[in-house]
Amino acid sequence: MNPNLHGSAWSGFYKKTLKERQNQLKITFPDLFDQPSPATSIAPSVSPVSSVYSTPLTSICSSPISRKYSEENKSNDTLNGINNEQFNYLIKKLESLNIDQDPFPIKGLDEHIADKMIENCVGTIGLPVGLALNFIINEKPRIIPMAVEEPSVIAAVSGAAKTISSYKGFTAVAPERNSIIAQVVLLDIPQNSLNLAVNKLLHQKPNIIKFANQFCANMVKRGGGVFDMSVRRISRTNNRNKKHHPISSENFREWLVVHLHIDVCDAMGANCASTVAEGVAPHLSELTGGRIGLRILSNLNVERMTKASFRIPLSLLSYKSYTGKEVAALIIEAYEWAEIDHYRAITHNKGMMNGIDSVALAAGQDWRAIEASAHAWACDGVRGDYSQSNNYRPLTTYWIEKDDQLADCRKEGDDCLMFCGELELPITVGTAGGVINTNPVYLYNMGIMGNPNAKELSMIMVCIGLAQNFAALRALATEGIQRGHMKLHATNIAFAALRCYEDETNSSRPSHDIMSVARRMIEKGSITLTTAKELIEESLPKSQISQCTHM
């Protein structure tokens, strides 16, 4: 597939209205959005999304409008791919589609479904879902849904991806196994018996694995299940709260922690891990004589490391009025500051998680577990670097290297230099079972991404995180973060000020132009609710804004 043609299909997407974007998705993904909406089903057993991924180009070619175009023009583009003339024809047809009669399925969760998902349900809350564009991951174009309330996140990550994909895009790798860890802690084993207990567990390892697999029989049938076991000895320390009064008469110095490593295929695996831990605990207690403590999964799984990276010539890094060399140097400076200052590092990593969490929310993933694992991995002690134990570090890495191949082509000086970025995370995701099959929106968002398996989804999310961090550092180091952010934030402020007018006129769209108010706030250099209200008052009768004073 031609990446440039893929990009041209989405050029100006952000300038379209909401309905135009929805119509374009219907044309681009006919196999996805021509399906009946599953919203009326409490828990659909069959996904409405095609199991075969069609790229945005091939799916456009298979749409009814595209086929009609080919028939009228005696073109075989439906076989050979789409050209710009055909795409322009499709765009012109967007306005003729009336989705008011066929509501777009990516919308708020039905309250009847929500009531089945959690206890004491009283309603739902919505988040905007947008599309991150311009991503080329392992030479494959990807369109990535993101659910986020913060303006500029999607624009920034799409802009960063455009820069990176102008060369070769992202490279990503993930382990073959989609694994998770179940933990069982064994207590009250006398110190002089710990070595014997450990040796007994290791000697019985094959039998323990076989025993544990009976508690995840369905996973074993799908090719997964418990595949390994490890044992850790954890030194017990005193309670750090000085007010603590111990109530146990025994003071054992070490805890024995058994890890059961489970291949959960394409599932998230949290429930599976906890079930295995609880099922096997009595057997482990009998073998060691230890008292059973907690039995639960761990959200930190260093066997599930996913890495994303990119390389791009310095010449392609030019941004605004800055040369590529200047941009590279400024980003390296920002990264090196985060390396030595944990106050900066936490914000550095938060910006990265803006992207990852947004994809996790759109795809029905446990974003809380992903966040916890990422920030734990940011500590040197967890990474295995104990020289500065528990020192908090940035999760991304940036450097500049010389490209020998360019040097062999007689390139000199800066022309041989490549700017490189990398992000590696232990990330736990799933694409089968659980809430994904309950909430129809997740099924559509997965379809837009190409119905990735768990391995592919983890790579998509880490690439998003790397692009988001690159975008943040580039903006911070050059024009500053607020200039671009506040342009988008101004629209939100203008909308808040105009809500009252919309309610008063009982209109679905305020007569006053939101973008005009936003633009004038930017021109005044004052993006506040007060300024927005003043601008509205300049053009609306006082009788129509009198009720807005409460804002």
Side-chain angles (χ1 to χ4, degrees):
M1 181 180 295
N2 185 333
N4 295 324
L5 186 55
H6 167 77
S8 67
W10 298 90
S11 179
F13 189 71
Y14 70 98
K15 295 181 180 179
K16 300 181 186 297
T17 66
L18 174 64
K19 291 187 180 297
E20 286 175 335
R21 296 189 200 108
Q22 292 173 345
N23 282 332
Q24 182 166 340
L25 279 182
K26 283 194 168 188
I27 288 179
T28 306
F29 296 94
D31 292 338
L32 180 60
F33 292 105
D34 285 349
Q35 299 287 336
S37 173
T40 57
S41 172
I42 296 299
S45 58
V46 179
S47 167
V49 179
S50 171
S51 61
V52 179
Y53 174 61
S54 295
T55 65
L57 293 184
T58 57
S59 58
I60 287 177
C61 293
S62 65
S63 70
I65 295 177
S66 181
R67 290 196 296 269
K68 181 179 179 183
Y69 170 88
S70 298
E71 292 170 1
E72 292 175 352
N73 294 274
K74 297 181 180 180
S75 166
N76 63 347
D77 284 336
T78 54
L79 296 177
N80 297 333
I82 190 170
N83 56 38
N84 287 332
E85 181 182 355
Q86 183 182 5
F87 187 77
N88 289 334
Y89 175 88
L90 300 179
I91 293 299
K92 290 179 181 179
K93 288 292 184 179
L94 292 176
E95 295 181 358
S96 67
L97 297 177
N98 184 1
I99 65 170
D100 289 334
Q101 302 301 319
D102 183 15
F104 199 69
I106 299 181
K107 57 183 180 180
L109 179 65
D110 183 273
E111 64 179 18
H112 299 293
I113 297 178
D115 189 40
K116 303 296 182 182
M117 294 174 66
I118 63 169
E119 61 281 356
N120 300 340
C121 181
V122 295
T124 62
I125 187 170
L127 282 174
V129 177
L131 299 183
L133 303 175
N134 308 318
F135 276 85
I136 306 292
I137 301 175
N138 292 339
E139 301 182 351
K140 184 175 183 178
R142 293 280 188 180
I143 300 166
I144 308 171
M146 301 174 70
V148 62
E149 85 294 343
E150 183 179 344
S152 80
V153 170
I154 294 176
V157 77
S158 297
K162 185 176 183 179
T163 297
I164 293 166
S165 294
S166 68
Y167 187 58
K168 294 182 178 180
F170 297 85
T171 299
V173 294
E176 287 300 321
R177 287 190 186 274
N178 194 37
S179 63
I180 198 167
I181 293 173
Q183 290 186 297
V184 179
V185 60
L186 300 170
L187 308 168
D188 299 350
I189 302 175
Q191 195 68 28
N192 58 5
S193 300
L194 273 173
N195 287 335
L196 179 62
V198 171
N199 290 335
K200 185 177 290 187
L201 289 171
L202 295 177
H203 180 71
Q204 291 291 320
K205 179 177 175 178
N207 294 329
I208 293 172
I209 292 175
K210 183 178 180 180
F211 182 84
N213 270 325
Q214 68 179 304
F215 300 102
C216 57
N218 289 333
M219 199 66 71
V220 174
K221 290 178 181 178
R222 294 199 293 267
V226 182
F227 63 89
D228 197 8
M229 184 199 77
S230 57
V231 183
R232 301 168 62 218
R233 291 171 64 165
I234 307 294
S235 297
R236 183 174 181 177
T237 59
N238 293 328
N239 191 303
R240 66 180 180 180
N241 191 324
K242 296 180 180 179
K243 298 179 181 179
H244 172 69
H245 181 76
I247 59 175
S248 174
S249 59
E250 303 291 346
N251 187 24
F252 295 94
R253 297 198 301 273
E254 289 184 87
W255 289 336
L256 205 59
V257 181
V258 178
H259 282 193
L260 297 159
H261 305 259
I262 311 168
D263 184 341
V264 292
C265 301
D266 280 326
M268 293 185 196
N271 290 333
C272 176
S274 296
T275 300
V276 169
E278 292 181 359
V280 80
H283 183 56
L284 299 178
S285 174
E286 184 179 349
L287 286 172
T288 61
R291 173 171 60 88
I292 298 172
L294 298 186
R295 299 138 289 163
I296 190 67
L297 82 153
S298 172
N299 288 125
L300 176 64
N301 190 353
V302 297
E303 296 174 349
R304 208 156 160 174
M305 302 298 298
T306 302
K307 181 188 294 185
S309 61
F310 68 83
R311 298 173 78 248
I312 184 170
L314 260 60
S315 59
L316 297 181
L317 278 183
S318 58
Y319 181 71
K320 306 295 183 181
S321 61
Y322 295 83
T323 67
K325 183 178 180 180
E326 290 172 332
V327 171
L330 291 170
I331 291 178
I332 293 294
E333 286 178 353
Y335 157 69
E336 290 177 348
W337 177 23
E339 280 279 6
I340 59 174
D341 183 357
H342 55 272
Y343 281 91
R344 172 63 201 133
I346 190 70
T347 309
H348 177 108
N349 290 339
K350 184 270 179 185
M352 176 204 76
M353 296 307 296
N354 275 347
I356 292 177
D357 287 347
S358 299
V359 179
L361 282 167
Q365 304 300 307
D366 187 349
W367 59 271
R368 300 159 300 273
I370 294 169
E371 275 272 352
S373 179
H375 291 297
W377 186 246
C379 298
D380 286 334
V382 175
R383 296 194 207 187
D385 181 1
Y386 296 98
S387 59
Q388 300 183 48
S389 182
N390 292 324
N391 185 42
Y392 188 88
R393 302 269 296 279
L395 288 161
T396 54
T397 307
Y398 297 99
W399 70 97
I400 297 172
E401 66 183 25
K402 184 176 180 180
D403 189 293
D404 294 333
Q405 187 175 357
L406 290 177
D408 291 341
C409 295
R410 298 184 179 179
K411 298 285 185 179
E412 297 180 357
D414 296 343
D415 292 335
C416 295
L417 299 181
M418 305 288 288
F419 181 83
C420 307
E422 183 178 281
L423 170 62
E424 186 174 26
L425 281 180
I427 189 165
T428 302
V429 296
T431 58
V435 72
I436 293 175
N437 287 331
T438 305
N439 189 339
V441 174
Y442 298 147
L443 297 173
Y444 286 105
N445 287 339
M446 285 293 199
I448 291 173
M449 280 190 282
N451 293 319
N453 58 30
K455 178 180 177 180
E456 291 170 329
L457 180 59
S458 70
M459 292 190 289
I460 288 171
M461 292 173 69
V462 176
C463 286
I464 278 277
L466 179 57
Q468 199 82 62
N469 184 249
F470 170 79
L473 293 186
R474 181 173 66 175
L476 278 167
T478 55
E479 63 179 357
I481 201 70
Q482 284 297 83
R483 183 176 179 181
H485 177 81
M486 293 307 287
K487 286 181 181 179
L488 295 169
H489 182 57
T491 303
N492 284 343
I493 296 296
F495 180 73
L498 285 162
R499 281 186 307 174
C500 179
Y501 174 75
E502 184 178 18
D503 292 340
E504 287 294 313
T505 59
N506 195 28
S507 172
S508 61
R509 179 182 297 178
S511 60
H512 198 74
D513 185 4
I514 291 177
M515 297 309 298
S516 174
V517 173
R519 183 175 62 254
R520 292 173 67 189
M521 282 194 292
I522 294 171
E523 291 172 354
K524 291 172 66 70
S526 176
I527 305 175
T528 66
L529 194 59
T530 299
T531 301
K533 288 162 61 179
E534 291 174 352
L535 292 172
I536 295 171
E537 290 172 2
E538 292 176 5
S539 58
L540 293 178
K542 291 184 178 181
S543 61
Q544 291 180 324
I545 61 171
S546 60
Q547 300 299 318
C548 294
T549 56
H550 68 278
M551 292 190 298

